[in-house]
Amino acid sequence: MDTHVFAAVLIAALLHAGWNSVVKVGLDRVSTVLLLALVQALIELPLLPFVPMPASAAWPWIATAALLHAGYKLFLVQAYAHADLSQVYPLARGTAPLVVTLVSVMALGADPGDAGLAAIGAISAGVLLMAAKGSSAGRMRGAALFFALGTAGFTAGYTLVDGVGARVAGTPSGFILWMVVGDAALMALWAAVTRGAAAFPALLPAWRTGLAAGAMSLGSYWIAVWAFTQAPLALVAALRESSILFATLIAAIVLREPVSRWRWTSAALIAGGVAIMKT
């Protein structure tokens, strides 16, 4: 991975940790993910006239990516309804790079190399260790485990579709912006059907925080999809999970939250994987 791509993905990971740290907007989780989807669409709509149109062959990929991103959000909300964030988030994120690597190697003919595989393994091991030891809520079972692993499946799915689709589109920016439109439309339709028109005015009190979180989320995603066209999918997917390393540092330094030795051990494994990837 070239240095500028490596640095960009780390910035994307930092932005991802940043929006997760400010997303406590006082809304329920369904409203929160709806707010993020709508804010991202509002930010990027004025940019659409200034980016190239995706190639016609990319539209099925864009539609599929929008469906997967919406499914990811809905499964994530259900996972959080059944288990702690400290359990769900690492499991959902740590499993995805392993699936992406397996599919990339077996179906796409990718070859991450020995160092790449070691880096992916270290980062995923760090994230999964945090899932296993980072919470005092006990082991996940039943619906909690189902929705957490389902979220991981959606994460791996949209990562693969984003990576291939952006290359087919010939314009990562065009792919990203139109996908965000589709994602927001699907989330708005889902909210209207399940919660009615009242779902939208309920978002207004949190619009300022939602704007900041949405901007960081869109920036993180934009960088990541661009990186998919510059480097192997498996490496980018794993490096993105260094967001959990940044989240741990934000929790300890900025938010002054207690950080267990298991979280520090996990963070060290993730940092080691990042170092291996750049050697």
Side-chain angles (χ1 to χ4, degrees):
M1 188 183 297
D2 291 339
T3 300
H4 70 286
V5 179
F6 180 84
V9 177
L10 286 180
I11 292 172
L14 178 59
L15 289 172
H16 195 276
W19 78 254
N20 274 273
S21 69
V22 303
V23 79
K24 298 174 183 178
V25 294
L27 301 174
D28 62 274
R29 290 191 175 103
V30 173
S31 296
T32 297
V33 295
L34 174 62
L35 177 64
L36 283 174
L38 295 179
V39 165
Q40 288 182 84
L42 289 173
I43 292 172
E44 59 86 21
L45 278 174
L47 303 176
L48 279 175
F50 303 100
V51 300
M53 286 292 291
S56 58
W59 289 106
W61 293 94
I62 293 171
T64 302
L67 284 169
L68 290 171
H69 278 269
Y72 159 78
K73 293 182 181 70
L74 299 181
F75 261 68
L76 186 64
V77 166
Q78 288 300 315
Y80 286 151
H82 291 88
D84 289 350
L85 182 147
S86 59
Q87 293 175 300
V88 171
Y89 187 80
L91 180 60
R93 304 303 302 189
T95 309
L98 299 176
V99 177
V100 171
T101 300
L102 183 63
V103 174
S104 296
V105 171
M106 296 184 66
L108 302 179
D111 181 15
D114 292 341
L117 290 174
I120 293 166
I123 292 172
S124 293
V127 177
L128 292 173
L129 177 62
M130 192 175 294
K133 296 290 189 179
S135 173
S136 60
R139 183 180 300 176
M140 282 191 291
R141 293 182 175 87
L145 186 61
F146 170 77
F147 283 112
L149 291 177
T151 302
F154 276 107
T155 303
Y158 75 62
T159 298
L160 290 162
V161 171
D162 289 345
V164 176
R167 298 183 186 196
V168 172
T171 164
S173 295
F175 178 91
I176 293 160
L177 297 188
W178 283 107
M179 193 291 300
V180 168
V181 170
D183 176 40
L186 288 171
M187 292 300 298
L189 177 62
W190 176 82
V193 170
T194 59
R195 293 197 163 190
F200 302 98
L203 307 178
L204 293 177
W207 74 267
R208 289 184 178 85
T209 306
L211 181 62
M216 285 190 285
S217 178
L218 179 61
S220 174
Y221 172 62
W222 199 328
I223 293 170
V225 175
W226 167 80
F228 288 148
T229 67
Q230 306 295 312
L233 293 181
L235 296 183
V236 176
L239 187 57
R240 287 177 73 189
E241 304 318 322
S242 62
S243 62
I244 297 179
L245 170 62
F246 290 119
T248 299
L249 294 175
I250 290 171
I253 298 172
V254 179
L255 303 180
R256 302 292 183 181
E257 294 179 355
V259 177
S260 70
R261 61 187 178 88
W262 286 113
R263 288 188 70 182
W264 284 121
T265 302
S266 301
L269 277 170
I270 295 168
V274 172
I276 292 170
M277 193 174 293
K278 199 62 196 85
T279 56

